[in-house]
Amino acid sequence: MRVPDPRGGPIRRHDDSLAPAPKLTAAPRSPILAAVMQASSQHVAPPYARATCVVLLAGALVSCGMGSSTHLENPEREHVSFVYGYLDLEDAPTSLGWLDLERVAPRSDDRFYHMRIDEGVFYGEFIDPGSYVLSGFGGGGTMFSQRTVYNVSLQQTPFKLIVDKPGVYFVGSWKYRDVETGMFEAAKYDLEETAKPTALEVIERILPHAKGTTWDAYLHRYAESLR
Amino acid sequence: MSGVGRACASRMAARLAGILVSLAAPACTNFRDAYTGGPVPAGETVLGGRVELVPPLAEGEQDLSGIQTLDVENRIFLLMDDHPRVIEGEPEQADYDNAIAAPLGETFWVTVPAKPLHIIGAVIFMKTAPVRETARLPGGLTVALQPQDRAVYMGTLRYARDEFFDVRGVEILDDSDRGAADYQRRFAGGPELTSRLVTPSR
């Protein structure tokens, strides 16, 4: 006997609009990876750089949280995607200092991806294929603000992202809102999706950080496709 | 849709106290006693069943670091009440009263009051430190126990989920034969077993 889910069924927030922009038709790529990209000619892959002996070290650093710099780096691994979004913490006690995505499938020990941050914009050019959720964010910890950590449990993630093909994925713009709770209750908050800034407005703020990398032309073309 | 989260901040001592209380909550709660054989107290019955999670929890999917006051590994907590109701958000400590702590994929046998029982939700602890995180599964189910029941098998409750722990379906399987065999093997000569499958609450 099958029982209908009393909650009315799960809401799967993966949006087709997160799929790689269809207007992208070409991307600079290294000869070493040309064969890989030709094999999937229906789909445009992001620019890959030639693999070097630095790959392993750089890859390890990236996956361990090298998102602290705002400047993009040339891809060091195959099949990585660019993921970005915006989180407005104006109503929070801290500004956005860090944000992590967690890869929930396939599972691995190094499943946390530390995103780059620039005034509410978060982005990462090192996202491997898989399924992702927002696992946490926070900020502060300086002389003028106390450190605040927001943990997001798996079922309460505001967005669920499936990176199935290399490309550009926008996970939306979100705004933090405090939720009233009792004196002895843990603090709660909502993340509410907002129409602004748009995917185009956000990517335009990222473009200066791509200068000098192979992402530059690729993201410009992506931005152009959104206009 | 909005995501609701829990802020672990040192904003106020009182709020920190609140967090600590919530962490301790299930450990201070009375769960249904496991039935190990012998006579059943008056007004109670033995209830057996099984809960499956599909796909099952992967190794390391539960992050159970820190001090454990409660065995939550590979367990699901069936939250029970004597009337149907809906739990909004994270269950409170009182919601765990009389819960069944069932090992996933294994048959459980507990003693419960011999009257209709309502499964109002289910919880799996996914993380215990520094902040408790749970995966919540739907209830809305009833086991129509009767006062004359001495031992009842409710079938297998199967939750299908995706990688985001969204529940994709809830299924009730009639595996009464298997349940009866397990009962006979464990409690031969025990109270007579009746099969009464769990059903959606009305």
Side-chain angles (χ1 to χ4, degrees):
Chain A
M1 176 170 31
R2 183 172 289 278
V3 179
D5 184 347
R7 294 190 309 183
I11 300 171
R12 196 175 171 90
R13 294 302 305 271
H14 175 234
D15 193 318
D16 285 344
S17 66
L18 298 181
K23 293 182 181 177
L24 293 177
T25 54
R29 55 187 186 267
S30 64
I32 201 169
L33 294 170
V36 175
M37 296 179 64
Q38 283 169 359
S40 56
S41 57
Q42 295 302 310
H43 184 77
V44 177
Y48 293 122
R50 183 187 299 273
T52 69
C53 60
V54 184
V55 166
L56 289 178
L57 176 60
L61 287 173
V62 163
S63 59
C64 290
M66 203 174 156
S68 51
S69 164
T70 56
H71 202 74
L72 302 185
E73 294 184 0
N74 288 329
E76 301 284 5
R77 301 193 302 280
E78 292 184 21
H79 307 306
V80 290
S81 288
F82 186 89
V83 174
Y84 73 108
Y86 178 79
L87 179 55
D88 178 355
L89 292 188
E90 189 180 330
D91 295 341
T94 182
S95 58
L96 187 62
W98 60 270
L99 183 145
D100 286 349
L101 300 186
E102 179 180 358
R103 187 169 70 171
V104 293
R107 296 191 64 81
S108 61
D109 287 339
D110 52 348
R111 60 187 184 275
F112 294 98
Y113 289 69
H114 199 50
M115 305 296 277
R116 302 181 189 279
I117 303 292
D118 183 15
E119 295 185 354
V121 177
F122 58 89
Y123 52 101
E125 75 280 22
F126 38 74
I127 306 300
D128 296 300
S131 300
Y132 293 83
V133 295
L134 174 63
S135 71
F137 59 93
T142 65
M143 186 182 295
F144 304 105
S145 65
Q146 54 186 310
R147 182 172 179 268
T148 306
V149 176
Y150 296 93
N151 294 289
V152 181
S153 68
L154 179 57
Q155 286 182 323
Q156 294 169 329
T157 181
F159 57 79
K160 296 164 186 170
L161 171 66
I162 296 176
V163 177
D164 48 2
K165 296 175 182 174
V168 180
Y169 294 76
F170 178 59
V171 296
S173 290
W174 300 87
K175 183 170 179 56
Y176 171 103
R177 290 194 196 284
D178 249 332
V179 172
E180 283 294 316
T181 56
M183 187 68 179
F184 292 99
E185 283 186 87
K188 291 181 180 176
Y189 62 91
D190 274 350
L191 292 182
E192 186 178 287
E193 191 162 18
T194 59
K196 301 280 277 184
T198 64
L200 175 60
E201 290 166 342
V202 179
I203 198 68
E204 283 179 333
R205 289 173 55 176
I206 296 171
L207 290 176
H209 301 306
K211 279 193 171 30
T213 71
T214 50
W215 288 101
D216 193 14
Y218 183 78
L219 292 180
H220 270 91
R221 278 200 301 278
Y222 167 75
E224 194 57 42
S225 75
L226 297 175
R227 289 192 174 97
Chain B
M1 176 189 149
S2 298
V4 179
R6 213 168 269 272
C8 177
S10 53
R11 279 190 256 173
M12 298 170 61
R15 293 218 156 174
L16 181 58
I19 292 170
L20 292 174
V21 167
S22 73
L23 282 170
C28 308
T29 306
N30 293 322
F31 299 117
R32 297 312 310 181
D33 291 329
Y35 177 66
T36 54
V40 181
E44 294 202 346
T45 183
V46 177
L47 175 66
R50 197 162 66 134
V51 185
E52 290 180 355
L53 187 66
V54 182
L57 291 173
E59 188 178 344
E61 194 170 353
Q62 282 179 298
D63 181 3
L64 306 178
S65 51
I67 300 169
Q68 298 300 314
T69 54
L70 181 65
D71 182 10
V72 299
E73 186 172 2
N74 203 43
R75 281 180 187 270
I76 186 167
F77 293 80
L78 297 177
L79 310 183
M80 318 292 284
D81 208 337
D82 58 5
H83 62 281
R85 64 184 173 94
V86 175
I87 299 175
E88 298 286 357
E90 191 72 29
E92 304 289 335
Q93 177 176 351
D95 294 322
Y96 288 91
D97 270 342
N98 296 312
I100 296 173
L104 282 163
E106 296 177 25
T107 305
F108 65 83
W109 297 99
V110 295
T111 53
V112 296
K115 57 185 182 181
L117 270 185
H118 301 276
I119 301 172
I120 55 175
V123 173
I124 297 172
F125 289 85
M126 300 305 296
K127 196 177 285 187
T128 51
V131 175
R132 190 183 81 204
E133 286 183 16
T134 59
R136 301 195 298 270
L137 299 95
L141 301 162
T142 298
V143 189
L145 299 176
Q146 304 297 320
Q148 68 273 17
D149 287 336
R150 305 310 296 151
V152 170
Y153 184 72
M154 63 173 235
T156 288
L157 193 54
R158 178 181 288 169
Y159 289 105
R161 52 121 185 195
D162 62 17
E163 71 267 42
F164 300 111
F165 231 114
D166 279 341
V167 176
R168 312 302 292 180
V170 186
E171 212 172 350
I172 296 166
L173 307 178
D174 184 356
D175 57 348
S176 302
D177 291 345
R178 198 196 52 74
D182 186 79
Y183 184 82
Q184 188 61 31
R185 184 177 58 79
R186 295 197 205 195
F187 316 117
E192 185 183 354
L193 182 70
T194 306
S195 175
R196 189 167 292 130
L197 294 184
V198 63
T199 58
S201 300
R202 292 179 181 169

